[in-house]
Structures are given as C-alpha cells and as structure tokens.
Amino acid sequence: MNGKNLTLIEVFGFKVKVNITWIFIAVLLAWALAQGYFPTVYEGLTPIAYWGMGIIAMLGLFTSIVLHELAHSVVARAFGMEIKSITLWLLGGVAEMTDEPPHPTAEFLMAVAGPIMSVALALLFFTVAALFSTGGDVTPIGAILHYLGTLNLILAAFNMAPAFPLDGGRVVRAALWAWKGDYFWATSMATRMGSIFGLVLIALGIVAALTGAGLGGLWWVIIGIFIRSAADASQFRLQAVHALKGRTVKDYMTRNPIVVPPEITIADLIDNWIYKHSFEFFPVVEDSKLIGSVSLREVRQVPPDRRTSTRIGDIMLPRSPENTIQAGATAADAFTKMQGTGNSLLLVTSDGNLIGVIALKDIMKLIAITSELGRA
Ligand SMILES: [Zn+2]
C-alpha cells in the first residue's frame, strides 16, 4: 500500500493516513446511505437532506474507526510498542506496528482496547439517540446516531472474530502464547485460524450471492479474501523473522560493490557500468565518501536525448536512513526496512563508510531455503 496513502491529521503524535481505496468507499457509502438506507428508515425528506445525513453518517463512521485504532495505539505505546501510523482503508483501520508485543498480557490489552472503544461509542450513540427521540418518533439526528451505534457494534463484533490479524485473533494468540509460552507456535496457530476464517467467509459469500443476496454476498467474499491474505502475510512475516533469527546484514551483503562517481553522465553509466558489470544498482561515492545510490529506476526517468548531458549526481537518491543500514543490524531489520520503504536494495555502512550492498532477493532466497529445510 506504499505511496497510495495520504496523511490526514495527527492525533497524540500518531499520523492518521487514509488509503485511496477509502475515498472511493467513503463516496460509495455516503451515496448508499443517502439513496437507500436513510430514505427507508426516515421518510419524507428532500434528496439534499438525505445527502447531508449520508455524509454526516459517513464522517461519523470514519471518526469511530479512527477512535478504535487510536485506542489500540495508545495501549500499544503504553507497553513500549512503537506505532508508526494508523491507516484507514477499505474496511476499517490498521495501526502499523513496527515491534512485536513484549508479552501476552500486553498483546491481550492492546487487542481488546479497540473493540472496547467501539462498544463504548455504540453505547454513547444509542444514549444520545434516546435523548433526541421525541415520544417514540425518529428524528434525522436520531436516525444517524442509531446507524452509528449499530455500526460500532458490528465493528466490535467483526473485529472480535478469532482470525489473526483481526483483534479477536490477537486475543487467541495472546491466550495460546500465555498457555504454552511459545510465541512462534501461537502466531502460527492464530494465523492458520485466520486463513480458515477467511475461506469460510468466501464460501458463505459465494453461497449467499448464488442464492439471491447479490452484492451483499460479494461483500463477504471481498472481506474473506482480505482476511486470508492478511493472515497469509502474517504467517510469511513470522517465517521470515524465524528464518533470519541471529543473522546480521554482514552475513548476506555483497562486499566491495562497484561504485560510481557523481560527475559521470547517465550515458557513461549505461555503457561503462550497467552493461559492463550487468548490475542495476550502484552506490555513488565522492572522495571515498558515500553520498547516495543510483539504479535503473532513476536512469529510466531521464529521456534518452538528455542522457549524455545529465550527471549521476543530479539524479541519484541521496544517502538517507531509508536507503542505508548498519553492517551490525539484523537481517530481519533489513527486511523490515525494505518492506517499509519499498527499497529492495540497501547500502551497508560501518562507521559511516560503505562496505557493501544488501538485496531483498538474497534475503528472500534465505527465507525460502530455511522454510524448505524446516518442512518435514
Ligand atoms: Zn481493532
């Protein structure tokens, strides 16, 4: 989801981002509420009034999801886990954790904080809705509040499904982890349950769609596919961390990479470096100091007729924490950094000097070999 997230606001130091899919869903949701839901539950208003209700309800749901994720994030931070940002997407939010929970209790409390917040919000909305209802008649505000109360209950219930990485799956993992004291096994079991739960949803969705539920059934299929792929990604990440355990960047890097000076032109780089060595990534070094890197990605962005006049120094990616890593860092750190930044190659430094390059494909090969060997 890199590159498709826009930062909306910052709350308590957490960046709240929105995935572009959410903008599409937001419009669709406001439309469905304005055209379908509200005209049915509350008759006799103008289309503009229904659109107003639809948009307010959509924003209310959006705020509810942010509060759910903030509850997770605040508890996570209290236990020392770093939360990079909160991203809202298709069906809810994802708090991006960079660390794993330190112990089962932390995981349990962090997991239940979100659903507890949603239930609390539901109670709040229902209470205020009761205050707004005049002698049993529903008001437009009452209809919106009732909708938000119901949606928050659904959000809490859905998230408590025992399917990792949903909140309920995290509760299951915390329980299994506390029971056997084996984090690896607990995660493996919880993600497997997540994968099965996803499959069940897909199957139910298809059955529902075929027996007349139409679009409603399709919705379950989409959710099922998401949960399955999220569970499988968690399982892969776990295997990766397991495979990379105890290994450092130094073990997997290519030493003494071929470097280029910043003053050569792109044409020169293509003829005398890229074709000659058949590499696609070169550290840029000036006066034996590492200043950046250049790859095919940067070269491609310059039109062919300007390649004889453009210097490498003008198009290189300057050295930054995103594209460098210490030689002593763990291979798992390098893997996490590559996933987080989208850079499949990192410059390896020791005491600030370039000593090598580490590639995602080398790390992936190691993960594949380790999981092949681990299979009975
Ligand atoms: Zn949650």
Side-chain angles (χ1 to χ4, degrees):
M1 277 192 270
N2 281 322
K4 290 183 227 146
N5 297 329
L6 317 164
T7 302
L8 284 186
I9 37 163
E10 210 171 310
V11 203
F12 304 136
F14 300 113
K15 277 198 181 83
V16 178
K17 297 180 185 174
V18 62
N19 185 256
I20 50 165
T21 56
W22 215 92
I23 295 168
F24 173 69
I25 291 297
V27 173
L28 199 69
L29 180 66
W31 173 77
L33 290 172
Q35 298 290 312
Y37 180 76
F38 286 127
T40 329
V41 296
Y42 191 82
E43 291 173 1
L45 293 179
T46 60
I48 301 221
Y50 286 130
W51 269 104
M53 290 170 79
I55 290 167
I56 292 169
M58 180 271 287
L59 292 175
L61 180 61
F62 172 89
T63 310
S64 300
I65 294 171
V66 171
L67 288 170
H68 174 113
E69 296 305 324
L70 272 178
H72 285 308
S73 304
V74 167
V75 175
R77 190 160 63 184
F79 283 104
M81 285 175 272
E82 198 199 327
I83 301 285
K84 256 176 41 191
S85 61
I86 297 166
T87 305
L88 302 178
W89 68 288
L90 203 57
L91 307 158
V94 176
E96 281 176 61
M97 271 202 304
T98 47
D99 306 318
E100 293 299 333
H103 47 79
T105 315
E107 163 113 274
F108 173 78
L109 293 174
M110 186 197 74
V112 294
I116 287 174
M117 171 62 89
S118 295
V119 170
L121 283 172
L123 291 177
L124 178 75
F125 285 128
F126 285 134
T127 310
V128 181
L131 296 177
F132 270 95
S133 75
T134 44
D137 285 345
V138 188
T139 61
I141 296 174
I144 295 171
L145 290 168
H146 203 267
Y147 168 80
L148 289 175
T150 311
L151 257 285
N152 270 289
L153 278 188
I154 293 174
L155 204 65
F158 175 72
N159 274 290
M160 283 309 286
F164 193 88
L166 295 181
D167 301 336
R170 290 188 174 275
V171 170
V172 169
R173 175 168 82 170
L176 294 175
W177 184 10
W179 177 36
K180 289 233 174 146
D182 186 342
Y183 174 78
F184 186 79
W185 173 78
T187 308
S188 195
M189 292 303 285
T191 54
R192 216 159 290 168
M193 283 170 72
S195 201
I196 293 168
F197 182 76
L199 255 192
V200 171
L201 278 188
I202 294 169
L204 284 178
I206 291 172
V207 171
L210 291 178
T211 52
L215 226 61
L218 212 63
W219 196 230
W220 288 110
V221 174
I222 294 172
I223 297 173
I225 290 172
F226 160 67
I227 292 176
R228 223 178 125 70
S229 69
D232 292 346
S234 302
Q235 179 67 29
F236 176 75
R237 217 192 109 70
L238 180 74
Q239 277 174 352
V241 169
H242 195 66
L244 300 175
K245 211 176 195 171
R247 311 198 184 240
T248 64
V249 166
K250 223 186 293 179
D251 301 335
Y252 293 98
M253 68 180 187
T254 305
R255 284 166 193 276
N256 306 317
I258 293 162
V259 301
V260 297
E263 64 271 6
I264 63 162
T265 64
I266 297 176
D268 199 2
L269 175 78
I270 293 172
D271 292 339
N272 298 317
W273 272 272
I274 293 177
Y275 280 126
K276 194 171 155 202
H277 302 287
S278 41
F279 289 149
E280 47 186 79
F281 177 89
F282 296 91
V284 183
V285 172
E286 186 174 41
D287 300 331
S288 68
K289 255 183 65 192
L290 174 68
I291 57 169
S293 70
V294 65
S295 70
L296 289 188
R297 195 163 60 178
E298 288 79 51
V299 168
R300 265 204 313 266
Q301 280 159 9
V302 180
D305 58 312
R306 291 195 11 228
R307 287 180 183 168
T308 47
S309 56
T310 310
R311 290 173 344 117
I312 295 309
D314 300 327
I315 62 158
M316 69 172 192
L317 286 183
R319 172 186 184 169
S320 73
E322 267 90 62
N323 60 15
T324 52
I325 192 153
Q326 295 278 332
T330 64
D333 286 343
F335 182 64
T336 306
K337 186 173 265 196
M338 287 170 180
Q339 283 196 316
T341 61
N343 290 321
S344 59
L345 286 146
L346 298 175
L347 302 159
V348 183
T349 60
S350 177
D351 299 326
N353 298 316
L354 176 77
I355 62 162
V357 166
I358 185 160
L360 178 62
K361 66 175 196 299
D362 295 334
I363 296 180
M364 296 297 273
K365 203 189 286 171
L366 174 74
I367 295 169
I369 291 170
T370 310
S371 63
E372 236 1 91
L373 286 174
R375 208 167 286 159

